Amino acid sequence: MGKPTGFMEFDRLSEAYEPPKARLKHYREFVSTLNDDQAKTQGARCMDCGVPFCNNGCPVNNIIPDWNDLVYRGQWQEALEVLHSTNNFPDFTGRICPAPCEAACTLNIDSEAVGIKSIEHAIVDKGWEMGWIVPQPPRFKTGKKVAIVGSGPAGLAAAQQLARVGHSVTVFEKNDRPGGLLGYGIPDFKLDKSLIVRRVEQMEAEGVVFKTKVMVGCKALPAGVAYDATEHIAAEQLVKDFDAVIVAAGSEVPRDLPVPGRELKGVYAALEFLIPQNKMVAGGKANPINAKGKHVVVIGGGDTGSDCVGTSYRQGAASVTQLELMPQPPEVENRPLTWPYWPLRMRTSSSHLEGETQRQFAIGTKEFLGEKGALKALRTIQVEWKSGQMSEVPGSEETLKADLVFLAMGFLNPVAGLLDAFGIEKDGRGNAKATTDGAGCYSTNVPKVFAAGDARRGQSLVVWAIREGRQCAREVDAFLMGRESALPR
Ligand SMILES: Cc1cc2nc3c(=O)[nH]c(=O)nc-3n(C[C@H](O)[C@H](O)[C@H](O)COP(=O)(O)OP(=O)(O)OC[C@H]3O[C@@H](n4cnc5c(N)ncnc54)[C@H](O)[C@@H]3O)c2cc1C
Ligand code: SF4
């Protein structure tokens, strides 16, 4: 441990944000990295717990106390090595992870958690700045070929791990650039897309081949699922041409709200709004959905909803209201009761604070109301939750003015047509069925075909996708080589 008394001497220092007024004028990241001295002081707050709950709370099991200590001692390059030993892409998680490690930090019981995520962010940014992050091509090639369907964090992590142990990896992606939701979905102001480009370049130098605009398996996609594909490759072809296939195609089918008026112009699935925005920021054509001067209602209270809120403000929305079906959670959790687990509590994102966001809880939507085919309002109703059952409150209906509605109620499962094209058995929620522990984990019922990330576990987080990609890579390596894999689990 760097400084035994650090946690008593130093307060938690959060990263500085550019003020909303200034950041609303652009789509760039607005969070500054801690400087060296600040990161050192924050590292000194770590108590190096005998049982580091942070390490268990982190889905990739980051070895957090070690890099906290190394940063405190100024050994940045060693800290970077420890960080990369469990996480291929700390540059992504250091920006957009909700940090379950911090919820699990022992200091979080009765004080403020160590600023783990901000230290991670500082380490990896320094790594790039100093030129310490370089390609790590394999020393020998195995002659085995792996196809990966999907280039989100799960596919990227699996590809990097497998390429580094000498397999020839080809990543197939139906969109025009790699990254999955990191690139198309998550706004540029949360994650600058140049970060994905430099990781892709690193991986290309390690031997990974990216084939974009290629749709694997199915030809038709459900409404609301984006693609830029100009080529198609059949599932059987991949199975025939490669020694192993990993399906890391995400969970892309959006949950819809099939109430009267759903067809009105002005009601969109969240990604119909967010993806064209990413493309526009990257220099493409203007987003056909523009919130300027409009009353926006976002239905759904998670990350996707929040991203619609921030994007609407940047476009100049007249008002933004966010509706959530669940009741309002407590402002502060009962920590002795919830620690070290992820607590249910009111979460206010940076996007919420970029305007006077009206947040309404326990509200259902009965109908979208329009004139001449265009949305004008929503008919809402208050709901009550008792023993997990929802009921409507009689007489509580209201009309809410709206020119644009974004449906951000989550994603159901991967596209069934893709799983069917391979013949992959599904679980009860329509995800690719595969376990994560024991013999044959991550393998599907189809020989040679594995599944990882949101396509297997359902809609989740970037850090879980990275974990699954890494663990799946280990299983694929063992399968290909017929022996224990040297890759970490
Ligand atoms: C708007 C939004 C904001 C989010 N914000 C956060 C956040 O702040 N923090 C966080 O941790 N998580 C966030 N998430 C969740 C996170 O992005 C996902 O959990 C994560 O990206 C899943 O990774 P994945 O690799 O499994 O799938 P994805 O990232 O979905 O990637 C799957 C890829 O597979 C491709 N693909 C699918 N089918 C085919 C096919 N047939 N042929 C070829 N390619 C195909 C897709 O085009 C896609 O590129 C957010 C999600 C959304 C939608
Ligand atoms: S739980 Fe918190 S204080 Fe303990 S080792 Fe992890 S980061 Fe440090």
Side-chain angles (χ1 to χ4, degrees), residues 223-431:
V225 180
Y227 69 97
D228 305 309
T230 50
E231 272 179 69
H232 173 263
I233 182 162
E236 313 86 74
Q237 192 67 45
L238 279 198
V239 176
K240 189 165 155 274
D241 292 350
F242 290 84
D243 298 300
V245 177
I246 299 176
V247 174
S251 171
E252 293 198 292
V253 180
R255 181 173 281 112
D256 202 9
L257 188 57
V259 297
R262 169 65 181 87
E263 72 292 347
L264 289 169
K265 187 165 184 288
V267 184
Y268 301 102
L271 290 185
E272 289 182 283
F273 176 49
L274 296 175
I275 294 178
Q277 189 66 25
N278 293 131
K279 292 191 172 186
M280 190 194 89
V281 175
K285 61 181 191 315
N287 189 342
I289 307 174
N290 194 332
K292 191 170 172 57
K294 299 206 173 131
H295 297 284
V296 175
V297 175
V298 178
I299 302 183
D303 277 334
T304 307
S306 214
D307 293 345
C308 291
V309 171
T311 304
S312 299
Y313 281 133
R314 279 167 182 70
Q315 288 189 348
S319 73
V320 182
T321 304
Q322 194 172 19
L323 307 181
E324 171 58 56
L325 195 60
M326 300 306 288
Q328 181 163 352
E331 280 293 336
V332 183
E333 71 272 24
N334 182 344
R335 288 190 191 173
L337 204 66
T338 57
W339 179 88
Y341 300 110
W342 183 248
L344 178 68
R345 67 169 161 80
M346 184 76 168
R347 292 185 191 273
T348 299
S349 73
S350 53
S351 293
H352 290 129
L353 301 175
E354 289 170 348
E356 290 181 13
T357 315
Q358 303 295 312
R359 298 174 74 186
Q360 299 184 19
F361 292 85
I363 294 284
T365 303
K366 299 285 284 178
E367 187 178 1
F368 298 114
L369 306 165
E371 273 172 31
K372 296 185 189 149
L375 177 75
K376 289 288 165 208
L378 277 76
R379 196 157 59 82
T380 63
I381 190 157
Q382 194 77 41
V383 299
E384 260 179 357
W385 289 89
K386 278 195 189 129
S387 313
Q389 294 295 314
M390 188 190 84
S391 59
E392 295 182 347
V393 178
S396 65
E397 293 192 16
E398 279 184 22
T399 303
L400 182 63
K401 193 170 175 178
D403 306 303
L404 276 176
V405 163
F406 299 124
L407 303 175
M409 302 169 303
F411 297 83
L412 296 173
N413 40 44
V415 172
L418 170 64
L419 302 187
D420 293 344
F422 282 97
I424 297 174
E425 204 180 317
K426 304 182 194 87
D427 67 13
R429 293 179 302 149
N431 299 318

Side-chain angles (χ1 to χ4, degrees), residues 45-49 52-54 64-65 68 104-107 114 116:
R45 292 187 71 235
C46 176
M47 302 184 290
D48 192 9
C49 302
F53 285 89
C54 54
I64 294 161
N68 282 340
C105 172
T106 313
L107 270 185
V114 172
I116 300 168

